Amino acid sequence: MKVEFLGGVRTVTGSATLLEKGSLKWLVDCGMFQGNKENEERNWNVQPYQAKALSFILLTHAHIDHSGLIPKLVKEGFRGKVICTKATVDLCEVMLQDSGHIQEMEAEWQNRKGKRAGKDEVPPLYTMEDAEKCLRYFQTVNYDDILQLADGVKVRFQDAGHILGSAIIEIWVEEGGQEKKIIFSGDLGNSDQPIIRDPSILEEGDVLWLESTYGNRLHKTREETTQELLKIIQEAIAHQAKVVIPAFAVERTQDIIYTLGQFIRKGSLPSIPIYIDSPLAISATEIFKRNSDCFDQETKDLLSGGENPLEIPGILYAQTTEESKAINEDPRPGIIVSASGMCDAGRIQHHLKHHLWREESHIVIIGYQAEGTIGRRIVDGAKTVRLFGEEIAVKAHIHTLGGFSAHADQKGLLDWISHFHNPQLEVFVNHGEEEISLGFAQLVNEQFHFKTMVPHWREKKVLFGVEEKVMLEEVKEKLPPEEQFFVLFRHLDRTYKKLRRKLKREKKRGEEIYDLKRLRQLEEVSKKLEELEEEL
Ligand SMILES: [Zn+2]
Ligand SMILES: [Zn+2]
């Protein structure tokens, strides 16, 4: 069993791992790199993903940093199955096409600039059409069902509590008569997150990929966080100002809608305009309503009591550009929720341009802001940021509310891993910025004595199983017969030498101890060797 770390290591984006069992190859996640030029270059060279040779892609969830390169791989010849939950397929349908649209716009912009500089045209990474085409390869799996994917490979998807449809993936691999279990935590959610169920608890495993986005941080409680948000909104109302919330279209937006709905249902907030300004978020909210089987008990109870937690009085959806522009003409105090969540694309940039410089406005950051994004610069206290070629002063109140995060914090991650009882568990710490992953890996090692490792990009490893055996299997398929003989003889030679060394050691020991049980075992070996000799 071999693995290659293709992304989401020592960084939060581009999640992808290549797994190989003999000639069978597959990926777990196939995410896009985002937020940093050097990393984004990797999106263009997908040759290491071996698109044509892959049998399937197991997809933990719909976020672009996990799914965003699937259209690119289909373009490069991937014809296997993408296996994920139904809600993930529904979300990918809108999110990948949205991503294709962004890629087209990006290329158009580059080309306009390039033309003036006399450069050749560049094609987009992939188009909306490519994204649409890739959907035909998706196949759904129910949570908890065990799916046999190939000889000696079974998988099961369990709740990850991160976004709608998100999963932890368990993979059982049989090799050399032994079965081992590999687990990908995917992105793990907070246990008190509304709407969706909490992450499933797992206890057994041999190798674990564990995310570490917030491996160094503790979130405030949900209750404290919602109270903080309420106060911010009340203050904005008192000053006739606006609250701007950059939010990922999926999950964070619905979480905010749910939370604002709770304020209004409880009467702690008057009915004020709440703008959801992101066509993707509007589609995602519809998908949420269609996948209510993924909801937690509290949300199901609300639904059966006749309340729709995703529909609240005062909510206004802006679908068109005109509707989006009209928001900034509304003089009333209100709330604007818009994407992208890291402020580096989309309509949120217009709202930031409109509000960042206003002292009375409030900007509320609720999601993870990757290095290199505009959102990160705002959080880090930049005095100005560049938007649409203009330098905009940052004078508004900036708030960061970690408690709305879709990721477990350090305590949540440690709690989750504490249930594993195999002392031999090997842990690959991934999906985190380098320093954070390294620190968290050390912490896990100190607390649970599990062997931890923070892999590098493109690093390869052999999991349980002798490297040579894996090589031999490869040889069987790829090499011409004469070379197969050569490799096989070398292997026989090595095995014979190893056996000689063992026998010598045994002989020495046998001169010192006279153990009857051992004698019988050696008799058995001797008989087998004679048989072998005859066979040869
Ligand atoms: Zn995610
Ligand atoms: Zn992620």
Side-chain angles (χ1 to χ4, degrees), residues 139-411:
Q139 182 188 318
T140 61
V141 59
N142 292 326
Y143 281 116
D144 302 326
D145 280 0
I146 293 184
L147 203 67
Q148 182 95 39
L149 285 177
D151 213 20
V153 182
K154 284 183 298 187
V155 298
R156 179 165 65 186
F157 284 56
Q158 297 225 47
D159 268 303
H162 168 62
I163 65 166
L164 193 80
S166 67
I168 298 165
I169 303 179
E170 299 167 282
I171 310 171
W172 288 269
V173 181
E174 208 187 299
E175 230 180 16
Q178 258 195 331
E179 192 179 69
K180 297 274 182 177
K181 185 174 162 194
I182 305 171
I183 300 162
F184 284 79
S185 75
D187 291 2
L188 279 180
N190 259 326
S191 54
D192 51 3
Q193 193 164 303
I195 310 175
I196 53 168
R197 289 188 293 265
D198 290 348
S200 303
I201 298 296
L202 270 64
E203 297 178 345
E204 319 267 354
D206 297 291
V207 186
L208 167 69
W209 267 251
L210 180 61
E211 75 120 314
S212 58
T213 318
Y214 285 115
N216 66 337
R217 232 190 282 175
L218 296 174
H219 299 323
K220 281 189 185 159
T221 63
R222 180 90 202 169
E223 184 54 30
E224 275 176 286
T225 309
T226 50
Q227 284 313 309
E228 229 173 293
L229 177 65
L230 182 62
K231 251 199 228 143
I232 295 166
I233 300 170
Q234 284 165 341
E235 202 190 308
I237 296 173
H239 292 92
Q240 292 290 304
K242 287 218 168 53
V243 178
V244 179
I245 311 180
F248 297 96
V250 177
E251 203 70 38
R252 291 315 78 217
T253 297
Q254 291 75 29
D255 187 346
I256 287 293
I257 296 174
Y258 179 95
T259 309
L260 297 175
Q262 292 286 59
F263 293 156
I264 294 166
R265 281 189 285 273
K266 285 179 187 158
S268 38
L269 205 65
S271 182
I272 54 165
I274 299 166
Y275 291 102
I276 307 298
D277 187 19
S278 153
L280 185 58
I282 299 169
S283 311
T285 307
E286 285 311 310
I287 292 168
F288 265 69
K289 291 178 190 166
R290 285 211 305 268
N291 285 278
S292 55
D293 55 314
C294 296
F295 291 176
D296 60 10
Q297 201 50 50
E298 196 185 346
T299 311
K300 280 182 181 164
D301 289 347
L302 267 177
L303 274 172
S304 56
E307 293 237 40
N308 191 330
L310 294 171
E311 271 164 21
I312 42 176
I315 202 157
L316 299 154
Y317 289 100
Q319 187 70 260
T320 64
T321 322
E322 285 67 40
E323 286 168 338
S324 173
K325 280 183 184 153
I327 295 172
N328 289 319
E329 276 147 33
D330 187 341
R332 297 173 292 171
I335 302 163
I336 304 167
V337 183
S338 185
S340 81
M342 297 196 282
C343 313
D344 48 354
R347 292 182 181 176
I348 186 65
Q349 293 199 331
H350 290 278
H351 299 298
L352 289 173
K353 189 181 161 192
H354 216 86
H355 288 281
L356 270 175
W357 56 275
R358 292 175 201 260
E359 280 175 25
E360 71 279 13
S361 295
H362 293 259
I363 316 292
V364 182
I365 306 283
I366 56 167
Y368 190 79
Q369 306 297 312
E371 265 178 10
T373 59
I374 291 176
R376 178 65 163 261
R377 292 222 298 284
I378 295 173
V379 170
D380 286 348
K383 292 271 173 289
T384 62
V385 291
R386 209 170 169 76
L387 287 164
F388 307 105
E390 221 179 288
E391 217 52 56
I392 310 289
V394 182
K395 295 238 167 98
H397 304 267
I398 310 292
H399 314 266
T400 308
L401 303 184
F404 278 118
S405 173
H407 290 270
D409 63 358
Q410 187 189 72
K411 187 179 169 296

Side-chain angles (χ1 to χ4, degrees), residues 189 246 513:
I513 43 161

Side-chain angles (χ1 to χ4, degrees), residues 61-66 162-163 187 406-407 431:
H61 64 289
H63 275 154
I64 292 300
D65 63 310
H66 297 256
H162 168 62
I163 65 166
D187 291 2
H407 290 270
H431 203 288

